[in-house]
Amino acid sequence: MNIYIRSAACISPQPTFGEQPSWTSPAEASAKAGRLACIEPDYKTLLDAKALRRMSRIIRMGVATANDCLRQAGEKEPGAIVTGTAYGCLEDTDCFLQSLIQRKEQALQPAPFIQSTHNTVGAQIALMLQCTRYNNTFVHRGASFENALLDAILLLSEGEAETVLAGAVDEITDTSHAILQRFGLYRHVPAGEGAAFFLLAGQPSPSDQARLDGITTFYKPEDTKTIEKALRSFLEQHAAEPDLVIVGANGDEANDRRYRQLTTNASVFAGKKLLSYKQLCGEYPTSTAFAFWMAARLLKQGVHRQILVYNHYLGIHHTAFLLSAV
Amino acid sequence: MDVNINKLSTSPVAASASGADADRAPTAPGVAIAGAGVISAIGKNVADSLLSFENGTAGMADITLLDTIYRSRLPVAEVKANNQELARWAGLSASAAGLAPSSHTTKSHITGLAPSVSRTALLSLIAAKEALDDAAIPGIETLRTGFISANTVGGMDKMENFFECRLTDHSKDRLREVVLHECGAVTEWVADRLGIRHYQTTISTACSSSANAVLFAARLIRSGLLDAAVAGGADALTKFTLNGFNSLMILDADPCRPFDDGRAGLNLGEGAGYLVLVSDKIAATLSRKPDVALSGYANTNDAWHQTASSPDGRGSWLAMSGALQRSRLRPADIDYINLHGTGTQNNDLSEGTAISRLFGPAYPRMSSTKSFTGHTLGASGGIEAVFSVLAVRHGLVYPNLRFKTPMTEQPLVPETAFLKDLPIRHVLSNSFGFGGSCTSLVFSKEQR
């Protein structure tokens, strides 16, 4: 079977949302050092004011991108909604946790607890669309978006859905940033965040952005040879010859060593045109959703025929997608 | 795991429904269940849990481990073992579990909920190991095995301790209490100790989380991407969830009374439950041939409210009828319903309304095992999937404790006695959650 990316929407630290998406300017780390915040649209023009008041930032970003993705494709109700998020709704979690400690477990407001569950974004999209169909949320760190895509692929191949809205969302909060910084994650790369949703379909349409050919995920590979073998076998299975490889290099030597080794001599990316993306969106576990959005857009523009996106998250989750022009 | 879309066959479900299996009606071939493992307040394994059911011994009691102001005020269904003991049950040395005594003193140290490894991960490992041992799949290390696990708050038990230190005395917070905060980090930690590398994922859809893990595992096996999968979920009691449900005013100060007219809310519990699902090919290699299969499943959304269920239970009706449809069963074929049955006004009425519409007036036996285990949130779908499999395997129906008076609006009467040696062929298990998440699973007797 074939799977087509019918439409795509993305809110990121780049001006990617709206009629004229672009990502050409290197993002400037926002005032708060070391983090790239999303450029958010004026939600009042996009979402119901009453519903908006109750939504935290991550919910707004997720619901707005989902909404825009469906609008572009003219889809009123997708056959399923699948979301990936590594951290979930941090702002509400943080808020409830702080108040439970500060108020010593008494007289707590339930609202942040209610909205802290990891499936809140998917749920709010369903509520907005009154969509009673399949709804699932994957929370598997650096492979959360990939698992949402995998679920979408299965739903389409099973004939369970004709279209699937699949995407990923993650936010930075002051608290999460302060804690994650102490792990030394952002010494060379700013922290990032973003929301991206895609409408995937089993049948082609005139507006398709690209075709999704396959995904591979592998876990804690011992060395570069193992990574190379996995990627080579993935490309061979698809008889793929990508003319662009989008990679998750982020400027941190320990992180980037793997990517560099894959480009040397006869290695799998040798002689391939490479493009890094994390200087644009920052580092976060679902950043591959941004790379996926970029790849689909580049293919739609006709700049490339076939793109491989390869990322590893902290050396733990290695993931790759192959997309082709339609 | 490689997914080559080009090579994926389309609609395997539809193909088998119209093909050679049609004369095997009424049941469609399901995904074989090769093993089960469970831990909750009523037992640290399958055998102990069954004994508690038979003896009518519920798990609710005063809080003994969690450090909260609600001790002796709100009953919970705790696993009565501190983290050191859980580590032993999981076959870990204290140092391997990151539980070795340290200079750093926190409240959790005193309660035995000591540093580093989340209690959720320990519960998960215990039940997942039992399930794998039960399945006893020869040469499993050479198979494409997946670990599909669910939880709702990851390592929140550690995070809330970290936060307390952070907010009161910044110098005392320890980053090691954050390491397993992400839901996915708990899964990784357990998968590493189970030796499952080929594929792993984490699902979090509130109280239906681990039912969705079982559903997803079945689909991965049906699609040919996996040979075997350990699927289910875990959640430990935390102050975060206890206070969350308390702020919603849906915790009963007494042991809960699911489906009773006087019900006053739920009791929280903790635990883990996992099934081992295998492909037909693997099932054929097992010395104990699987006799239960997941024959049906459906995931739907109520799309009504972030936390409340719709009055007519539209999401739960869709989930139950969708699961029946997939298993090619009629409502009358169901012998037992393992209810979501939390004991809240809203859930039980909504679920009851959907059941009346789908099954009335000829109701199958039904009960909520949450009257024993409390509501174990992200673990409940997995734990109840294990109980449902055992119900089919051994012909059991579990009692719905403390039921006296049927609900005025929907006078359904759950089973109140422990029944055995029944010819149970099909069991429906319901799991519904925040965000409108509704998932129903059907387990069926299947001879291989």
Side-chain angles (χ1 to χ4, degrees):
Chain A
M1 75 170 307
N2 288 319
I3 291 179
Y4 302 91
I5 303 162
R6 202 166 272 186
S7 60
C10 177
I11 291 177
S12 76
Q14 299 288 326
T16 48
F17 192 81
E19 294 306 314
Q20 298 289 324
S22 79
W23 63 80
T24 46
S25 56
E28 285 179 24
S30 57
K32 290 164 191 160
R35 59 193 253 195
L36 297 178
C38 280
I39 301 172
E40 293 177 72
D42 178 7
Y43 295 113
K44 288 196 290 289
T45 63
L46 302 164
L47 302 170
D48 172 60
K50 200 170 134 231
L52 196 55
R53 269 201 306 280
R54 287 195 289 264
M55 293 179 180
S56 70
R57 205 164 66 90
I58 189 173
I59 303 170
R60 292 174 176 202
M61 294 199 293
V63 173
T65 42
N67 203 20
D68 193 59
C69 180
L70 295 170
R71 182 195 57 79
Q72 288 174 42
E75 176 68 270
K76 292 227 163 11
E77 189 181 5
I81 298 165
V82 196
T83 313
T85 177
Y87 297 131
C89 301
L90 287 174
E91 189 183 313
D92 284 312
T93 306
D94 185 17
C95 173
F96 192 71
L97 206 42
Q98 296 221 23
S99 64
L100 103 77
I101 291 162
Q102 282 158 350
R103 293 169 171 267
K104 303 195 185 313
E105 305 186 65
Q106 288 168 88
L108 304 177
Q109 291 299 319
F113 175 71
I114 287 170
Q115 304 216 78
S116 72
T117 45
H118 287 74
N119 62 335
T120 306
V121 172
Q124 291 292 318
I125 297 168
L127 202 53
M128 172 183 75
L129 301 174
Q130 284 297 296
C131 176
T132 57
R133 295 168 177 170
Y134 185 96
N135 198 308
N136 208 355
T137 300
F138 291 86
V139 293
H140 201 56
R141 306 193 76 198
S144 305
F145 173 60
E146 289 73 3
N147 276 290
L149 276 186
L150 170 60
D151 196 353
I153 291 168
L154 289 179
L155 288 163
L156 293 169
S157 83
E158 291 159 349
E160 287 297 309
E162 286 178 13
T163 60
V164 179
L165 180 69
V169 278
D170 266 307
E171 66 175 333
I172 314 173
T173 64
D174 290 345
T175 306
S176 75
H177 190 61
I179 296 172
L180 289 169
Q181 256 184 331
R182 288 171 58 189
F183 282 97
L185 286 182
Y186 311 119
R187 275 196 288 266
H188 302 276
V189 59
E193 60 177 11
F197 270 95
F198 307 90
L199 189 72
L200 304 176
Q203 295 299 322
S205 85
S207 70
D208 290 341
Q209 300 221 341
R211 193 180 72 217
L212 173 61
D213 296 324
I215 311 181
T216 188
T217 59
F218 44 105
Y219 178 70
K220 292 186 179 171
E222 296 84 17
D223 49 25
T224 309
K225 269 206 161 55
T226 316
I227 301 170
E228 187 179 353
K229 205 176 137 204
L231 289 173
R232 229 183 249 290
S233 133
F234 179 64
L235 290 173
E236 274 164 18
Q237 265 189 57
H238 291 271
E241 289 193 12
D243 51 5
L244 179 69
V245 180
I246 298 181
V247 291
N250 67 15
D252 183 332
E253 165 55 25
N255 178 78
D256 292 356
R257 195 165 45 92
R258 295 286 191 220
Y259 300 102
R260 214 181 45 249
Q261 285 167 344
L262 294 169
T263 60
T264 53
N265 294 331
S267 195
V268 62
F269 296 158
K272 294 252 186 289
K273 189 176 177 203
L274 259 65
L275 180 67
S276 314
Y277 70 90
K278 285 183 186 163
Q279 73 280 13
L280 302 170
C281 68
E283 179 68 280
Y284 61 106
T286 52
S287 71
T288 46
F290 176 85
F292 191 86
W293 177 86
M294 248 176 96
R297 185 122 193 116
L298 285 170
L299 290 164
K300 173 76 176 172
Q301 288 168 351
V303 188
H304 297 279
R305 285 181 302 100
Q306 191 171 50
I307 298 177
L308 179 76
V309 178
Y310 163 62
N311 179 54
H312 71 78
Y313 184 70
L314 307 177
I316 299 167
H317 295 282
H318 292 245
T319 62
F321 325 109
L322 187 69
L323 294 91
S324 295
V326 285
Chain B
M1 183 167 78
D2 280 337
V3 184
N4 186 337
I5 294 167
N6 219 342
K7 287 180 185 156
L8 276 181
S9 57
T10 359
S11 322
V13 177
S16 71
S18 57
D21 294 318
D23 56 349
R24 275 186 59 188
T27 317
V31 177
I33 309 297
V38 68
I39 181 169
S40 74
I42 63 163
K44 63 179 175 181
N45 54 36
V46 164
D48 288 0
S49 308
L50 289 179
L51 205 61
S52 292
F53 280 128
E54 186 149 18
N55 295 335
T57 315
M60 292 79 168
D62 276 348
I63 299 170
T64 64
L65 291 165
L66 196 67
D67 178 41
T68 164
I69 66 162
Y70 294 104
R71 273 193 186 200
S72 77
R73 286 163 63 185
L74 290 171
V76 296
E78 265 178 332
V79 173
K80 294 277 185 259
N82 67 26
N83 286 3
Q84 280 84 346
E85 195 157 3
L86 290 184
R88 272 196 302 280
W89 291 354
L92 300 170
S93 68
S95 60
L99 295 164
S102 73
S103 56
H104 128 84
T105 52
T106 61
K107 282 186 183 169
S108 74
H109 208 73
I110 302 159
T111 57
L113 302 172
S116 192
V117 177
S118 165
R119 188 170 169 84
T120 303
L122 295 170
L123 293 168
S124 170
L125 182 57
I126 292 167
K129 268 191 167 177
E130 187 191 12
L132 272 171
D133 288 348
D134 184 37
I137 302 171
I140 190 163
E141 59 287 343
T142 62
L143 302 178
R144 296 172 305 160
T145 303
F147 184 48
I148 293 104
S149 194
N151 65 70
T152 61
V153 287
M156 184 60 84
D157 55 329
K158 296 296 156 200
M159 193 61 163
E160 56 199 24
N161 195 52
F162 173 88
F163 249 72
E164 185 155 359
C165 296
R166 186 181 143 84
L167 291 177
T168 50
D169 180 356
H170 209 295
S171 68
K172 286 222 178 84
D173 65 4
R174 294 289 179 270
L175 277 182
R176 64 177 168 214
E177 296 197 305
V178 180
V179 176
L180 293 190
H181 174 70
E182 286 168 73
C183 298
V186 171
T187 305
E188 279 173 16
W189 188 91
V190 178
D192 287 352
R193 275 142 199 88
L194 295 173
I196 297 178
R197 296 178 55 88
H198 180 72
Y199 175 74
Q200 43 166 278
T201 194
T202 314
I203 289 174
S204 197
T205 55
C207 304
S208 68
S209 296
S210 50
N212 280 325
V214 172
L215 174 155
F216 194 60
R219 292 168 54 218
L220 286 167
I221 288 174
R222 274 199 155 146
S223 71
L225 290 170
L226 291 180
D227 300 316
V230 182
D235 257 328
L237 278 163
T238 65
K239 281 198 280 190
F240 187 87
T241 41
L242 185 72
N243 279 282
F245 284 95
N246 193 47
S247 72
L248 284 163
M249 295 185 284
I250 50 173
L251 292 181
D252 194 336
D254 294 308
C256 65
R257 287 160 288 167
F259 274 64
D260 191 274
D261 201 44
R263 68 197 180 283
L266 58 87
N267 307 132
L268 283 182
E270 62 181 350
Y274 291 90
L275 294 176
V276 178
L277 293 84
V278 295
S279 68
D280 290 344
K281 202 173 134 199
I282 303 305
T285 69
L286 301 176
S287 53
R288 187 191 71 203
K289 297 282 172 278
D291 52 358
V292 184
L294 179 70
S295 61
Y297 47 80
N299 162 323
T300 63
N301 196 282
D302 203 34
W304 172 259
H305 183 268
Q306 173 62 19
T307 52
S309 304
S310 59
D312 59 344
R314 65 172 172 174
S316 42
W317 185 88
L318 283 167
M320 287 188 278
S321 50
L324 284 177
Q325 198 179 359
R326 182 176 306 274
S327 58
R328 284 192 268 150
L329 296 172
R330 297 175 308 265
D333 296 323
I334 296 295
D335 300 304
Y336 167 58
I337 304 175
N338 188 294
L339 299 163
H340 183 56
T342 58
T344 63
Q345 284 293 330
N346 179 237
N347 174 81
D348 294 4
L349 182 55
S350 174
E351 184 178 10
T353 304
I355 287 173
S356 299
R357 184 176 155 207
L358 189 59
F359 291 92
Y363 296 101
R365 290 187 169 95
M366 61 185 91
S367 68
S368 167
T369 47
K370 290 186 180 73
S371 62
F372 282 83
T373 63
H375 191 350
T376 56
L377 307 180
S380 64
I383 288 175
E384 287 161 32
V386 170
F387 294 158
S388 298
V389 166
L390 297 171
V392 177
R393 185 178 287 166
H394 303 300
L396 307 175
V397 168
Y398 312 109
N400 191 111
L401 297 177
R402 298 175 291 277
F403 174 83
K404 287 204 183 87
T405 317
M407 296 186 279
T408 319
E409 310 87 336
Q410 290 295 342
L412 299 173
V413 181
E415 183 56 55
T416 52
F418 178 80
L419 306 176
K420 54 184 180 180
D421 303 323
L422 295 176
I424 303 277
R425 289 167 59 242
H426 306 286
V427 171
L428 175 71
S429 178
N430 283 342
S431 298
F432 310 138
F434 280 7
S437 293
C438 297
T439 294
S440 293
L441 306 173
V442 180
F443 295 95
S444 297
K445 193 111 190 160
E446 247 176 57
Q447 301 303 342
R448 276 165 203 275

